[in-house]
Amino acid sequence: MRTVHILPLVGALFLPLTMASRAQGEGDARSVSPIYGVSLPEGYRQWELIAPALEGEPLNELRAIVGNRTAIDAYRSGTLPFPDGTVLVKLAWKRTPSQEFEPAAIPGAATTVQVMVKDSRRYAATGGWGFGRFIGGKPVDEVQHRTCFACHEARVKGHDFVFTRFAP
Amino acid sequence: MRTVHILPLVGALFLPLTMASRAQGEGDARSVSPIYGVSLPEGYRQWELIAPALEGEPLNELRAIVGNRTAIDAYRSGTLPFPDGTVLVKLAWKRTPSQEFEPAAIPGAATTVQVMVKDSRRYAATGGWGFGRFIGGKPVDEVQHRTCFACHEARVKGHDFVFTRFAP
């Protein structure tokens, strides 16, 4: 005697995914970066590793840079500039001494997640890149976002404004 | 007038894959570790990141630990001991100062790749784990492999002999 309404169920299942996809670069004001409108991309924690890195004092962080399919393909084929649709995400954690193996340091608390999105038209004024810096899933303020491109432009213009190289 | 023989083509396509699969734990003598018979798993560079790590003096290495699907699922669900079929791979590179951003260190030359394979029956004498340590794709000698389990047993028995935790 029970009637199962499939369509609302399907809608409920797909709605979050649709919203998340739309949020990438376009999403609602709460979750996107100032200036650039960049959001945390869906599923980035599962993306392929480009390289780890270590950030010294004062931040003292272990980092891992991952990329979407477009990014990885560009790295593997040596394509520069990176094509539109490239998304790079840098995860960061406090560098913490291992309690189990003295010479080692391991990830402690997560700190920031930083995103670069390539869209050569939308972000023409900043080398084709949009930037987002997130703490606890929320974008930091506009003042911090004003510093992104200036540093990338000054230091890695010759590598399409991207610091990270692929670790073989 | 040409006759296309499909079956040999299919065979040629699948043979390398079959060999690679078989090699994991069983492969030919040149490419598997002494004692354990563990080989470099196919496609591990594409696997999902578990965590980065830093190894201090004297090795001075940046590292990234990745895992196959079984490993990642176990980490995400908090499953201990890790189920049979779990494969963990630790990639390592020399820690090298970034020439583009002074506070940072980045991966230099690749050094070792280290593998742990869970097979509770085959490796019953070593906590269910088989070990492989590779340099330039070739396993190192038996003396080095004798040190693996003793260290894992002494330090991380309570975490199923695995040092690495999942970095959120």
Side-chain angles (χ1 to χ4, degrees), chain A residues 45-46 48-50 52-56 64 76 93 95 100-105 107 155-156 163 165-168, chain B residues 45-46 48-50 52-56 63-64 76 93 95 100-105 107 155-156 163 165-168:
Chain A
R45 185 60 185 78
Q46 282 79 53
E48 193 172 327
L49 176 73
I50 301 167
L54 174 68
E55 176 81 13
R76 290 197 178 274
W93 303 269
R95 170 185 170 173
E100 296 162 335
F101 191 70
E102 295 72 22
R155 293 170 180 271
V156 281
F163 282 97
R165 269 65 167 189
F166 193 86
Chain B
R45 185 59 185 78
Q46 282 79 55
E48 195 172 324
L49 177 73
I50 301 166
L54 173 69
E55 176 82 13
R63 296 174 165 195
R76 289 196 177 274
W93 302 268
R95 170 185 170 173
E100 296 161 335
F101 191 70
E102 295 71 25
R155 294 172 178 270
V156 280
F163 281 98
R165 269 64 168 190
F166 192 85

Side-chain angles (χ1 to χ4, degrees), chain A residues 117-136:
Chain A
V117 175
K118 188 71 179 275
D119 183 333
S120 53
R121 266 197 272 188
R122 180 173 181 184
Y123 303 120
T126 48
W129 293 100
F131 296 84
R133 187 166 193 265
F134 300 84
I135 295 179

